[in-house]
């Protein structure tokens, strides 16, 4: 997810938004089913794992575990739905049975949502309601053997905060234990300011590796830290550019990136999620959201195959009402097929996964009307 992954020589990353006739969202249940059927064809729960990355299991990022998590959430919404002969929960169990239990706890490069041991045991605990799996996670995080600078969401402690909230939701009996571990991680994060990521020790501002992602995970996990982080959030608001975007790094460069990972969409989703905890910043937050939405509306129909991280689907979550519907209707299964065939869309890196592919789109179709900055696996719990 490093910056260099996204910077290319083509500055035209979006196609024009024709607003003469706004598109309206069609049958979202049908879109959901079509998307799920595509996942089951492309990434069926069997070995060898069909990902273009091979058997690379990276927590909620790559591999079968994020698909198990999606089907677990679908089982909450539509428990009696039958897809290719199985219920969502049965599909969840199938995706949890692909060898993830053999992957050890390693913190050499990640302790966030990309750590397979932590993510797998978190999802397994939530699906089985068995405390023993949750305690594998809390024990590992209570005695965390990871570099102190691992703070961001994808690979660091902020991502671990998300996993703890997930467990707390499904296993409320562990709330007090979760709170204790949460506070340990937050205190560790706060001692590492300014937060940096990667071998270059560079500071970022976005949701994936940056300040807003860390602040958001801390505040949603433990709102009492809001006063300590108010000045830091105020600085992020000051950094908004004239066009409504935000810089990726402190050199005040946005690189034209307008997507969830770096840029206005992810920061707006974050602000929506944490706004209530910063009453003194409400007016500035509202102004920033309005300005950012204007930019997304103009330049947010991205050419990348629609997905949460780098595409229309994630950008739509920063919008509301008819504007969100207009964006999402550009990301239906049919529109994607037509767009790829016509060369409007560029094929995604992980076509069926949660963050880069179809599983993320399926989650959005399942929750397309939610507000207050909800996004998986970020602010949905």
């Amino acid at each position: 997810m490093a910056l260099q992954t996204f910077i290319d020589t083509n500055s035209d990353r979006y196609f024009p938004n024709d607003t003469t006739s706004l598109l309206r969202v069609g049958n979202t249940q049908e879109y959901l089913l079509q998307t799920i059927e595509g996942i089951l064809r492309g990434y069926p729960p069997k070995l060898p794992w069909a990902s273009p990355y091979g058997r690379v299991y990276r927590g909620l990022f790559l591999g079968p575990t994020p698909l198990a998590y999606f089907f677990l959430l679908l089982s909450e919404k539509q428990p009696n739905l039958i897809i290719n002969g199985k219920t969502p929960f049965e599909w969840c169990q199938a995706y949890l049975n692909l060898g993830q239990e053999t992957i050890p706890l390693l913190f050499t490069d990640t302790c966030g949502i990309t750590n397979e041991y932590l993510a797998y045991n978190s999802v397994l605990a939530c699906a089985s309601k068995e405390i023993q799996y949750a305690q594998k996670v809390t024990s590992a995080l209570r005695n965390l053997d990871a570099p102190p600078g691992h703070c961001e969401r994808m690979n660091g402690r902020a991502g671990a905060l998300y996993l703890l909230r997930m467990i707390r939701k499904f296993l409320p009996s562990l709330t007090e234990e979760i709170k204790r571990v949460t506070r340990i991680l937050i205190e560790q994060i706060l001692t590492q300011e300014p937060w940096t990521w990667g071998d270059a020790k560079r500071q970022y501002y976005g949701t994936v590796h940056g300040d807003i992602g860390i602040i958001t995970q801390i505040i949603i996990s433990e709102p009492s830290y809001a006063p300590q982080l108010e000045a830091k959030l105020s600085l992020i608001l000051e950094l908004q550019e004239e066009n409504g975007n935000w810089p990726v790094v402190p050199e005040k460069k946005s690189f034209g990136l307008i997507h969830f990972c770096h840029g206005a969409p992810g920061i707006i989703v974050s602000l929506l999620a944490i706004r209530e905890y910063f009453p003194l910043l409400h007016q500035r937050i509202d102004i920033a959201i309005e300005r950012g939405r204007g930019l997304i509306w103009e330049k947010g129909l991205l050419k990348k195959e629609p997905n949460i991280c780098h595409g229309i689907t994630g950008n739509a979550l920063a919008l509301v009402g008819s504007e969100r519907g207009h964006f999402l209707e550009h990301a239906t299964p049919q529109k994607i097929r037509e767009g790829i065939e016509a060369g409007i869309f560029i094929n995604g890196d992980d076509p069926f996964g949660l963050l880069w592919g179809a599983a993320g789109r399926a989650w959005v179709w399942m929750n397309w009307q939610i507000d207050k900055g909800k996004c998986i696996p970020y602010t949905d719990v």
Side-chain angles (χ1 to χ4, degrees):
M1 305 296 289
L3 178 61
Q4 56 266 29
T5 305
F6 305 128
I7 297 177
D8 55 38
T9 56
N10 178 16
S11 61
D12 187 13
R13 297 180 175 90
Y14 66 96
F15 56 88
N17 184 8
D18 181 4
T19 61
T20 55
S21 179
L22 296 189
L23 300 180
R24 299 179 64 183
V25 173
N27 188 335
T28 56
Q29 182 66 10
E30 185 60 30
Y31 299 156
L32 171 64
L33 293 175
Q34 290 174 7
T35 305
I36 292 172
E37 288 166 0
I39 294 168
L40 296 175
R41 287 193 303 270
Y43 279 4
K46 65 179 184 180
L47 295 174
W49 183 239
S51 166
Y53 298 92
R55 191 175 171 180
V56 177
Y57 292 178
R58 292 296 302 273
L60 297 182
F61 182 40
L62 292 173
T65 299
L67 298 182
Y69 184 41
F70 161 72
F71 279 109
L72 176 62
L73 298 180
L74 179 61
S75 74
E76 286 192 299
K77 291 269 188 177
Q78 301 184 36
N80 299 319
L81 182 67
I82 301 296
I83 313 159
N84 293 2
K86 288 184 171 64
T87 66
F89 190 72
E90 288 171 329
W91 284 117
C92 170
Q93 292 175 309
Y95 280 102
L96 285 174
N97 192 30
L98 295 173
Q100 298 100 307
E101 75 281 357
T102 66
I103 297 175
L105 174 63
L106 296 172
F107 285 127
T108 53
D109 65 346
T110 175
C111 57
I113 63 171
T114 54
N115 182 285
E116 182 63 37
Y117 178 93
L118 294 175
Y120 169 71
N121 281 290
S122 295
V123 177
L124 184 60
C126 295
S128 68
K129 301 294 197 298
E130 293 189 22
I131 290 176
Q132 60 176 312
Y133 301 114
Q135 289 178 332
K136 287 186 177 183
V137 178
T138 56
S139 176
L141 294 176
R142 188 184 299 108
N143 305 289
L144 190 56
D145 181 21
H150 280 35
C151 294
E152 42 79 80
R153 180 173 69 101
M154 285 293 287
N155 300 320
R157 289 166 173 81
L161 294 176
Y162 176 86
L163 298 176
L164 290 172
R165 293 201 309 275
M166 180 205 306
I167 295 172
R168 186 174 65 188
K169 172 188 173 183
F170 284 89
L171 293 166
S173 64
L174 293 178
T175 295
E176 289 307 313
E177 182 176 352
I178 295 293
K179 284 184 176 180
R180 286 192 291 272
V181 179
T182 294
R183 284 185 170 273
I184 290 172
L185 293 179
I186 292 174
E187 292 297 331
Q188 290 172 347
I189 291 170
L190 292 177
T191 64
Q192 294 300 309
E193 294 185 68
W195 301 311
T196 61
W197 178 77
D199 293 337
K201 301 296 182 184
R202 197 173 193 185
Q203 185 179 5
Y204 287 77
Y205 293 124
T207 61
V208 180
H209 305 302
D211 288 8
I212 193 65
I214 296 170
I215 292 170
T216 300
Q217 293 308 300
I218 290 175
I219 296 303
I220 296 177
S221 298
E222 185 49 77
S224 66
Y225 283 88
Q228 289 178 242
L229 293 170
E230 187 173 282
K232 206 163 185 67
L233 182 59
S234 177
L235 176 59
I236 290 175
L237 294 173
E238 289 176 14
L239 292 171
Q240 189 175 26
E241 299 170 349
E242 287 298 318
N243 66 359
N245 209 6
W246 271 270
V248 174
V249 292
E251 289 80 2
K252 294 190 176 181
K253 296 177 181 178
S254 67
F255 301 104
L257 300 180
I258 304 170
H259 51 56
F260 184 84
C261 290
H262 300 284
I267 292 182
I268 288 175
V269 168
S270 304
L271 293 175
L272 290 167
I274 63 177
R275 177 186 183 277
E276 64 181 289
Y277 304 112
F278 295 93
L280 297 181
L281 298 178
H282 277 182
Q283 184 177 14
R284 293 176 61 196
I285 288 172
D286 293 343
I287 292 171
I289 289 172
E290 183 178 357
R291 290 176 60 198
R293 281 174 170 165
L295 174 72
I296 297 167
W297 183 241
E298 179 185 356
K299 299 181 179 181
L301 290 175
L302 303 183
K303 291 182 178 180
K304 194 77 147 182
E305 181 178 349
N307 63 81
I308 285 182
C309 275
H310 314 142
I312 292 172
T313 310
N315 286 3
L317 296 177
L319 303 175
V320 290
S322 60
E323 293 187 350
R324 176 183 288 192
H326 177 74
F327 263 48
L328 288 179
E329 195 62 16
H330 281 87
T332 66
Q334 180 178 343
K335 286 285 198 323
I336 292 172
R337 286 194 299 271
E338 293 173 351
I340 290 175
E341 290 173 2
I344 296 172
F345 287 135
I346 304 166
N347 282 313
D349 300 300
D350 180 29
F352 302 104
L354 187 60
L355 297 178
W356 284 352
R361 294 195 297 272
W363 181 86
V364 173
W365 290 127
M366 186 171 67
N367 298 281
W368 78 277
Q369 290 181 306
I370 61 172
D371 57 9
K372 288 193 123 178
K374 299 293 185 183
C375 182
I376 187 174
Y378 186 54
T379 51
D380 57 309
V381 293

